[in-house]
């Protein structure tokens, strides 16, 4: 371990997140440099001053994410926390950890409760209703006329409506979920996070109590019934945590991923034309769009439970690790000519935009289906769709855990 320890002492500590200069659809330029010269580098979080290791190579991330010596405990002092999560709510038992912050075997037990709802067969059965929602939203866009903010018109309402229908929640509650998710992925105060978490928890516990007495045809009822079949070992707070996982993964990440993908698509008219002519490429196109612009760039983090070596670097027990999924998805060792968008790219399916290992997004099949419907329908129904502002004038989100835009004006 002598060489590893010596290499560590010479490591430069950089402020993180790294500045994204140049094209906002491309990774921070420093990622490419670090990937070749210092693939496991030391960073200091601008949010709270904590230090952690940053991984920029695809292979190193795969190795770390399948290594049981690394855990997802958000309450660990070394966890690279990048937002003001109210840890006191966990300590007081008011909320439970979501799947994002669990580890096997507990993570496996809870994840298996959700997976029957996210099978390819069940998700495919949702496609006709998804198509109806998308067509209704595009009808409204066309009736209004351009320019239109595609976020408020399409990429935000689609996952919101889909999730409220999946949970059978009144649509007037979608604003509550949106405010909660917004607080979760931005650098708000602990008080703001606590207030939003508590409000959502109260609503979900009420819905769980109602569905326990009168089960319906919705995700909450399915989780309650499945829990009974398995012996009822999960309580209402556990069920609520599973539902919060679905809301968090199926709303903000989906909305921002969809929005950035529309921006990338409209910035590459030759690839948009290809998808318009060959809608059967939709699956490959979604893979490539997710690879090209991974909105959850640095949200995948772990803490070492014991000393471990990753990429030739010693990571000591208690130290945090951040994975740059964007850097991994642009690693030329895996993706040839990575800064080129190519819907014929065969290796695009190897992208890790949805994560990797046992924490790979449980709802990825649903998100992929929604994106396929959105992109093919937009290109078919509005063939002249284009950006209404130059890319350099678009309001990109800053200080957010999920990359995205505040608005994306389009016209035709």
């Amino acid at each position: 371990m002598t060489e590893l320890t010596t290499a560590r002492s010479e490591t430069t500590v950089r402020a993180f997140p790294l500045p994204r200069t140049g094209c906002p659809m491309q990774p921070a330029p420093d990622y490419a440099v670090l990937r070749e010269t210092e693939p496991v580098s030391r960073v200091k979080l601008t949010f709270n001053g904590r230090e952690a290791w940053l991984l920029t190579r695809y292979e190193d991330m795969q190795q770390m994410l399948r290594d049981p010596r690394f855990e997802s405990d958000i309450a660990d002092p070394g966890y690279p926390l990048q937002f003001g999560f109210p840890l006191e709510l966990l300590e007081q038992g008011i909320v439970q950890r979501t799947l994002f912050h669990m580890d096997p075997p507990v993570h496996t037990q809870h994840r298996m409760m959700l997976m029957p709802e996210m099978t390819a067969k069940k998700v495919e059965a949702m496609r006709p209703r998804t198509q109806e929602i998308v067509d209704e939203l595009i009808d409204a866009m066309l009736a209004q006329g351009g320019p239109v903010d595609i976020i408020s018109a399409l990429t935000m309402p689609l996952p919101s409506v889909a999730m409220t229908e999946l949970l059978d929640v009144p649509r007037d509650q979608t604003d509550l979920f949106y405010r909660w998710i917004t607080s979760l992925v931005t650098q708000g105060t602990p008080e703001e996070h606590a207030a939003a978490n508590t409000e959502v928890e109260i609503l979900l516990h009420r819905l769980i109590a109602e569905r326990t007495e009168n089960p319906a045809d919705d995700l909450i009822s399915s989780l309650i019934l499945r829990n009974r079949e398995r012996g009822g070992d999960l309580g209402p707070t556990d069920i609520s945590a599973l539902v919060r996982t679905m809301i968090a993964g199926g709303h903000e990440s989906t909305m921002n991923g969809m929005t950035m993908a529309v921006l990338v698509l409209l910035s590459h008219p030759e690839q948009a034309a290809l998808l318009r002519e060959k809608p059967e490429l939709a699956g490959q196109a979604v893979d490539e769009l997710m690879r090209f612009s991974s909105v959850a760039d640095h949200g995948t983090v772990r803490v070492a439970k014991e000393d471990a070596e990753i990429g030739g670097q010693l990571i000591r027990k208690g130290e945090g690790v951040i994975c740059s999924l964007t850097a991994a998805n642009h690693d030329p060792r895996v993706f040839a000519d990575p800064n080129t968008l190519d819907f014929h790219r065969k290796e695009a399916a190897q992208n890790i935009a949805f994560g990797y290992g046992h924490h790979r997004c449980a709802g990825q099949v649903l998100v992929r289906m929604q994106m396929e419907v959105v992109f093919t329908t937009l290109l078919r129904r509005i063939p002249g769709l284009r950006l209404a502002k130059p890319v350099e004038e678009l309001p990109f989100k800053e200080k957010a855990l999920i990359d995205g835009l505040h608005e994306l004006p389009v016209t035709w």
Side-chain angles (χ1 to χ4, degrees), residues 207-224:
L207 293 173
I208 291 167
E210 292 174 357
R211 308 288 162 79
T212 299
E213 293 298 320
N214 299 292
D217 183 19
D218 63 90
L219 176 64
I220 297 175
S221 298
S222 295
L223 291 173
I224 292 169

Side-chain angles (χ1 to χ4, degrees), residues 195-206:
N197 269 279
T198 302
E199 195 174 2
V200 167
E201 197 69 8
I202 290 172
L203 170 62
L204 291 180
H205 273 260
R206 177 171 62 79

Side-chain angles (χ1 to χ4, degrees), residues 293-326:
S293 186
S294 308
V295 295
D297 174 26
H298 47 89
T300 298
V301 299
R302 299 288 186 271
V303 178
K305 294 192 294 183
E306 56 185 272
D307 289 358
E309 179 186 338
I310 300 293
Q313 174 64 58
L314 172 64
I315 297 176
R316 294 187 178 126
K317 178 181 178 180
E319 293 184 330
V321 183
I322 301 171
C323 296
S324 168
L325 302 185
T326 302

